[in-house]
mmCIF file of all heavy atoms in Angstrom:
data_model
loop_
_atom_site.group_PDB
_atom_site.id
_atom_site.type_symbol
_atom_site.label_atom_id
_atom_site.label_comp_id
_atom_site.label_asym_id
_atom_site.label_seq_id
_atom_site.Cartn_x
_atom_site.Cartn_y
_atom_site.Cartn_z
ATOM 1 N N MET Z 1 -50.424 14.416 14.381
ATOM 2 C CA MET Z 1 -51.621 13.643 14.091
ATOM 3 C C MET Z 1 -52.858 14.555 14.202
ATOM 4 O O MET Z 1 -52.941 15.401 15.097
ATOM 5 C CB MET Z 1 -51.730 12.509 15.096
ATOM 6 C CG MET Z 1 -52.784 11.473 14.778
ATOM 7 S SD MET Z 1 -52.198 10.297 13.568
ATOM 8 C CE MET Z 1 -53.412 8.982 13.804
ATOM 9 N N GLN Z 2 -53.793 14.369 13.284
ATOM 10 C CA GLN Z 2 -55.007 15.171 13.287
ATOM 11 C C GLN Z 2 -56.139 14.479 14.026
ATOM 12 O O GLN Z 2 -56.237 13.244 14.002
ATOM 13 C CB GLN Z 2 -55.459 15.421 11.839
ATOM 14 C CG GLN Z 2 -54.502 16.306 11.064
ATOM 15 C CD GLN Z 2 -54.516 17.718 11.577
ATOM 16 O OE1 GLN Z 2 -55.457 18.465 11.389
ATOM 17 N NE2 GLN Z 2 -53.447 18.112 12.276
ATOM 18 N N PRO Z 3 -57.004 15.238 14.704
ATOM 19 C CA PRO Z 3 -58.166 14.626 15.354
ATOM 20 C C PRO Z 3 -59.006 13.842 14.348
ATOM 21 O O PRO Z 3 -59.211 14.294 13.222
ATOM 22 C CB PRO Z 3 -58.949 15.823 15.887
ATOM 23 C CG PRO Z 3 -57.939 16.927 16.012
ATOM 24 C CD PRO Z 3 -56.961 16.697 14.905
ATOM 25 N N GLY Z 4 -59.452 12.668 14.742
ATOM 26 C CA GLY Z 4 -60.274 11.838 13.870
ATOM 27 C C GLY Z 4 -59.501 10.862 13.019
ATOM 28 O O GLY Z 4 -60.071 9.940 12.462
ATOM 29 N N ASP Z 5 -58.168 11.066 12.899
ATOM 30 C CA ASP Z 5 -57.332 10.150 12.106
ATOM 31 C C ASP Z 5 -56.994 8.903 12.936
ATOM 32 O O ASP Z 5 -57.019 8.910 14.159
ATOM 33 C CB ASP Z 5 -56.038 10.834 11.676
ATOM 34 C CG ASP Z 5 -56.187 11.577 10.362
ATOM 35 O OD1 ASP Z 5 -57.272 11.461 9.744
ATOM 36 O OD2 ASP Z 5 -55.251 12.269 9.957
ATOM 37 N N VAL Z 6 -56.624 7.826 12.224
ATOM 38 C CA VAL Z 6 -56.149 6.611 12.876
ATOM 39 C C VAL Z 6 -54.753 6.292 12.338
ATOM 40 O O VAL Z 6 -54.385 6.720 11.243
ATOM 41 C CB VAL Z 6 -57.105 5.428 12.627
ATOM 42 C CG1 VAL Z 6 -58.464 5.692 13.253
ATOM 43 C CG2 VAL Z 6 -57.260 5.128 11.136
ATOM 44 N N LEU Z 7 -53.996 5.535 13.098
ATOM 45 C CA LEU Z 7 -52.612 5.257 12.730
ATOM 46 C C LEU Z 7 -52.502 4.312 11.539
ATOM 47 O O LEU Z 7 -51.595 4.432 10.713
ATOM 48 C CB LEU Z 7 -51.842 4.670 13.923
ATOM 49 C CG LEU Z 7 -51.374 5.675 14.972
ATOM 50 C CD1 LEU Z 7 -50.809 4.941 16.178
ATOM 51 C CD2 LEU Z 7 -50.324 6.603 14.374
ATOM 52 N N ALA Z 8 -53.411 3.348 11.442
ATOM 53 C CA ALA Z 8 -53.263 2.349 10.386
ATOM 54 C C ALA Z 8 -54.611 1.771 10.012
ATOM 55 O O ALA Z 8 -55.546 1.696 10.832
ATOM 56 C CB ALA Z 8 -52.327 1.222 10.840
ATOM 57 N N THR Z 9 -54.728 1.373 8.748
ATOM 58 C CA THR Z 9 -55.859 0.565 8.282
ATOM 59 C C THR Z 9 -55.304 -0.624 7.525
ATOM 60 O O THR Z 9 -54.298 -0.519 6.802
ATOM 61 C CB THR Z 9 -56.824 1.361 7.383
ATOM 62 O OG1 THR Z 9 -56.145 1.752 6.180
ATOM 63 C CG2 THR Z 9 -57.361 2.580 8.093
ATOM 64 N N TYR Z 10 -55.948 -1.755 7.677
ATOM 65 C CA TYR Z 10 -55.450 -3.012 7.092
ATOM 66 C C TYR Z 10 -56.643 -3.969 7.020
ATOM 67 O O TYR Z 10 -57.157 -4.398 8.046
ATOM 68 C CB TYR Z 10 -54.321 -3.566 7.936
ATOM 69 C CG TYR Z 10 -53.678 -4.863 7.503
ATOM 70 C CD1 TYR Z 10 -54.002 -5.483 6.296
ATOM 71 C CD2 TYR Z 10 -52.735 -5.490 8.321
ATOM 72 C CE1 TYR Z 10 -53.391 -6.669 5.922
ATOM 73 C CE2 TYR Z 10 -52.118 -6.675 7.955
ATOM 74 C CZ TYR Z 10 -52.460 -7.266 6.753
ATOM 75 O OH TYR Z 10 -51.872 -8.435 6.387
ATOM 76 N N ALA Z 11 -57.078 -4.285 5.807
ATOM 77 C CA ALA Z 11 -58.302 -5.042 5.620
ATOM 78 C C ALA Z 11 -58.057 -6.546 5.563
ATOM 79 O O ALA Z 11 -57.251 -7.031 4.771
ATOM 80 C CB ALA Z 11 -58.998 -4.606 4.323
ATOM 81 N N ASP Z 12 -58.773 -7.282 6.388
ATOM 82 C CA ASP Z 12 -58.900 -8.719 6.235
ATOM 83 C C ASP Z 12 -60.048 -8.948 5.244
ATOM 84 O O ASP Z 12 -61.200 -8.642 5.549
ATOM 85 C CB ASP Z 12 -59.216 -9.369 7.587
ATOM 86 C CG ASP Z 12 -59.456 -10.873 7.506
ATOM 87 O OD1 ASP Z 12 -59.700 -11.387 6.404
ATOM 88 O OD2 ASP Z 12 -59.435 -11.521 8.572
ATOM 89 N N VAL Z 13 -59.727 -9.444 4.041
ATOM 90 C CA VAL Z 13 -60.746 -9.604 2.997
ATOM 91 C C VAL Z 13 -61.055 -11.070 2.735
ATOM 92 O O VAL Z 13 -61.617 -11.414 1.687
ATOM 93 C CB VAL Z 13 -60.318 -8.899 1.686
ATOM 94 C CG1 VAL Z 13 -60.217 -7.400 1.898
ATOM 95 C CG2 VAL Z 13 -59.009 -9.462 1.144
ATOM 96 N N ASP Z 14 -60.723 -11.948 3.675
ATOM 97 C CA ASP Z 14 -60.905 -13.383 3.442
ATOM 98 C C ASP Z 14 -62.359 -13.751 3.123
ATOM 99 O O ASP Z 14 -62.625 -14.562 2.250
ATOM 100 C CB ASP Z 14 -60.444 -14.186 4.663
ATOM 101 C CG ASP Z 14 -58.921 -14.216 4.794
ATOM 102 O OD1 ASP Z 14 -58.246 -13.766 3.851
ATOM 103 O OD2 ASP Z 14 -58.424 -14.699 5.836
ATOM 104 N N ASP Z 15 -63.315 -13.135 3.835
ATOM 105 C CA ASP Z 15 -64.723 -13.460 3.584
ATOM 106 C C ASP Z 15 -65.124 -13.083 2.175
ATOM 107 O O ASP Z 15 -65.810 -13.865 1.484
ATOM 108 C CB ASP Z 15 -65.616 -12.711 4.576
ATOM 109 C CG ASP Z 15 -65.582 -13.312 5.976
ATOM 110 O OD1 ASP Z 15 -64.765 -14.220 6.191
ATOM 111 O OD2 ASP Z 15 -66.359 -12.872 6.839
ATOM 112 N N LEU Z 16 -64.720 -11.895 1.727
ATOM 113 C CA LEU Z 16 -65.083 -11.445 0.394
ATOM 114 C C LEU Z 16 -64.415 -12.301 -0.688
ATOM 115 O O LEU Z 16 -65.020 -12.607 -1.706
ATOM 116 C CB LEU Z 16 -64.704 -9.967 0.231
ATOM 117 C CG LEU Z 16 -65.312 -9.216 -0.949
ATOM 118 C CD1 LEU Z 16 -66.831 -9.234 -0.909
ATOM 119 C CD2 LEU Z 16 -64.804 -7.779 -0.993
ATOM 120 N N THR Z 17 -63.192 -12.688 -0.443
ATOM 121 C CA THR Z 17 -62.486 -13.562 -1.383
ATOM 122 C C THR Z 17 -63.168 -14.919 -1.466
ATOM 123 O O THR Z 17 -63.411 -15.443 -2.559
ATOM 124 C CB THR Z 17 -61.016 -13.741 -0.937
ATOM 125 O OG1 THR Z 17 -60.365 -12.457 -0.954
ATOM 126 C CG2 THR Z 17 -60.280 -14.705 -1.855
ATOM 127 N N ARG Z 18 -63.495 -15.475 -0.323
ATOM 128 C CA ARG Z 18 -64.112 -16.802 -0.290
ATOM 129 C C ARG Z 18 -65.523 -16.791 -0.898
ATOM 130 O O ARG Z 18 -65.903 -17.695 -1.647
ATOM 131 C CB ARG Z 18 -64.177 -17.307 1.142
ATOM 132 C CG ARG Z 18 -64.782 -18.693 1.304
ATOM 133 C CD ARG Z 18 -64.757 -19.158 2.731
ATOM 134 N NE ARG Z 18 -65.570 -18.310 3.606
ATOM 135 C CZ ARG Z 18 -65.063 -17.443 4.478
ATOM 136 N NH1 ARG Z 18 -63.758 -17.292 4.593
ATOM 137 N NH2 ARG Z 18 -65.857 -16.705 5.230
ATOM 138 N N GLU Z 19 -66.300 -15.748 -0.641
ATOM 139 C CA GLU Z 19 -67.720 -15.784 -1.005
ATOM 140 C C GLU Z 19 -68.020 -15.184 -2.366
ATOM 141 O O GLU Z 19 -69.030 -15.566 -2.976
ATOM 142 C CB GLU Z 19 -68.533 -15.103 0.094
ATOM 143 C CG GLU Z 19 -68.446 -15.889 1.412
ATOM 144 C CD GLU Z 19 -69.205 -15.255 2.557
ATOM 145 O OE1 GLU Z 19 -70.105 -14.430 2.295
ATOM 146 O OE2 GLU Z 19 -68.892 -15.580 3.722
ATOM 147 N N VAL Z 20 -67.203 -14.254 -2.853
ATOM 148 C CA VAL Z 20 -67.490 -13.699 -4.194
ATOM 149 C C VAL Z 20 -66.272 -13.719 -5.109
ATOM 150 O O VAL Z 20 -66.355 -13.243 -6.238
ATOM 151 C CB VAL Z 20 -68.062 -12.253 -4.115
ATOM 152 C CG1 VAL Z 20 -69.264 -12.188 -3.208
ATOM 153 C CG2 VAL Z 20 -66.996 -11.259 -3.674
ATOM 154 N N GLY Z 21 -65.149 -14.249 -4.623
ATOM 155 C CA GLY Z 21 -63.956 -14.334 -5.477
ATOM 156 C C GLY Z 21 -63.191 -13.030 -5.626
ATOM 157 O O GLY Z 21 -62.439 -12.868 -6.572
ATOM 158 N N PHE Z 22 -63.360 -12.110 -4.673
ATOM 159 C CA PHE Z 22 -62.655 -10.828 -4.755
ATOM 160 C C PHE Z 22 -61.166 -10.997 -4.545
ATOM 161 O O PHE Z 22 -60.732 -11.608 -3.566
ATOM 162 C CB PHE Z 22 -63.203 -9.868 -3.685
ATOM 163 C CG PHE Z 22 -62.403 -8.597 -3.525
ATOM 164 C CD1 PHE Z 22 -62.524 -7.581 -4.463
ATOM 165 C CD2 PHE Z 22 -61.510 -8.429 -2.470
ATOM 166 C CE1 PHE Z 22 -61.785 -6.397 -4.322
ATOM 167 C CE2 PHE Z 22 -60.781 -7.261 -2.319
ATOM 168 C CZ PHE Z 22 -60.927 -6.249 -3.264
ATOM 169 N N ARG Z 23 -60.384 -10.449 -5.476
ATOM 170 C CA ARG Z 23 -58.922 -10.444 -5.337
ATOM 171 C C ARG Z 23 -58.384 -9.143 -5.915
ATOM 172 O O ARG Z 23 -58.417 -8.939 -7.130
ATOM 173 C CB ARG Z 23 -58.304 -11.629 -6.091
ATOM 174 C CG ARG Z 23 -58.499 -12.968 -5.409
ATOM 175 C CD ARG Z 23 -57.881 -14.111 -6.186
ATOM 176 N NE ARG Z 23 -58.045 -15.376 -5.471
ATOM 177 C CZ ARG Z 23 -59.159 -16.113 -5.500
ATOM 178 N NH1 ARG Z 23 -60.197 -15.692 -6.212
ATOM 179 N NH2 ARG Z 23 -59.240 -17.244 -4.823
ATOM 180 N N PRO Z 24 -57.873 -8.246 -5.058
ATOM 181 C CA PRO Z 24 -57.287 -7.020 -5.587
ATOM 182 C C PRO Z 24 -56.115 -7.346 -6.487
ATOM 183 O O PRO Z 24 -55.273 -8.199 -6.159
ATOM 184 C CB PRO Z 24 -56.841 -6.253 -4.325
ATOM 185 C CG PRO Z 24 -56.760 -7.300 -3.261
ATOM 186 C CD PRO Z 24 -57.774 -8.351 -3.589
ATOM 187 N N ALA Z 25 -56.057 -6.680 -7.648
ATOM 188 C CA ALA Z 25 -55.094 -7.073 -8.675
ATOM 189 C C ALA Z 25 -54.161 -5.955 -9.109
ATOM 190 O O ALA Z 25 -53.312 -6.177 -9.980
ATOM 191 C CB ALA Z 25 -55.850 -7.613 -9.896
ATOM 192 N N THR Z 26 -54.297 -4.758 -8.529
ATOM 193 C CA THR Z 26 -53.540 -3.604 -9.016
ATOM 194 C C THR Z 26 -52.467 -3.183 -8.024
ATOM 195 O O THR Z 26 -52.785 -2.665 -6.948
ATOM 196 C CB THR Z 26 -54.503 -2.426 -9.277
ATOM 197 O OG1 THR Z 26 -55.601 -2.863 -10.085
ATOM 198 C CG2 THR Z 26 -53.766 -1.288 -9.989
#
C-alpha cells in the first residue's frame, strides 16, 4: 500500500439522484 492511498471508495449518490436525476449508465 502506498502512503496517501485508501483501501476503498464507494459513493452514496442518493441525494444527487433524488435532486437532479443523476443515474450512472455506463
Side-chain angles (χ1 to χ4, degrees):
M1 191 81 163
Q2 293 292 288
D5 272 354
V6 296
L7 281 172
T9 64
Y10 179 7
D12 176 343
V13 296
D14 286 352
D15 285 7
L16 195 58
T17 298
R18 181 178 62 254
E19 295 179 21
V20 306
F22 171 77
R23 286 180 178 82
T26 310

